[in-house]
């Protein structure tokens, strides 16, 4: 099975930027399922709001029983130092019809494909 995540958006990045960049960041989001397979968005350079028109796919092992855990980490790409983590979270998911809204200004809509 595949978990497909689409319509990923980050709002309010200007309120969490801490590096003096006038509220502009270089965000990306990394998703994982049960600390296994991962999928990562591209980096959106120098933005205060981000929208990814991407489709991320996470493989769900057939042996994995529901509910399973989806984890995300919203980070700021930094070419001179380690990337900054702005937010992270996780939730338990059960079923095939999943709508996911993640706090800290990040939203995404996953769906299941068999």
């Amino acid at each position: 099975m595949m978990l497909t995540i689409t319509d990923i958006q980050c709002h309010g990045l200007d309120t969490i930027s801490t590096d003096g960049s006038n509220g502009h960041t270089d965000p990306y989001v990394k998703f994982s399922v049960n600390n296994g397979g991962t999928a990562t968005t591209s980096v959106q350079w120098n933005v205060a709001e981000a929208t990814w028109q991407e489709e991320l796919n996470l493989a769900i092992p057939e042996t994995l029983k529901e509910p399973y855990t989806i984890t995300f980490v919203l980070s700021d790409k930094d070419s001179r130092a380690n990337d900054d983590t702005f937010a992270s979270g996780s939730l338990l998911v059960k079923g095939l019809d999943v709508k996911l809204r993640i706090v800290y200004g990040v939203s995404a809509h996953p769906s299941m494909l068999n």
Side-chain angles (χ1 to χ4, degrees), residues 63-81:
T63 57
L64 188 61
K65 302 294 183 203
E66 293 181 346
Y68 43 87
T69 303
I70 296 176
T71 303
F72 82 93
V73 177
L74 168 63
S75 299
D76 178 42
K77 189 71 173 169
D78 192 341
S79 60
R80 290 177 256 153

Side-chain angles (χ1 to χ4, degrees), residues 10-64:
C10 294
H11 303 283
L13 295 173
D14 55 335
T15 65
I16 58 176
S17 177
T18 59
D19 63 359
S21 60
N22 296 323
H24 289 132
T25 62
D26 306 318
Y28 65 95
V29 184
K30 183 175 182 177
F31 294 90
S32 64
V33 62
N34 283 58
N35 296 318
T38 63
T40 305
T41 66
S42 62
V43 175
Q44 297 286 312
W45 299 101
N46 197 32
V47 298
E49 305 280 328
T51 299
W52 289 268
Q53 300 299 321
E54 301 175 15
E55 186 175 288
L56 302 180
N57 294 302
L58 287 173
I60 308 292
E62 295 291 331
T63 57
L64 188 61

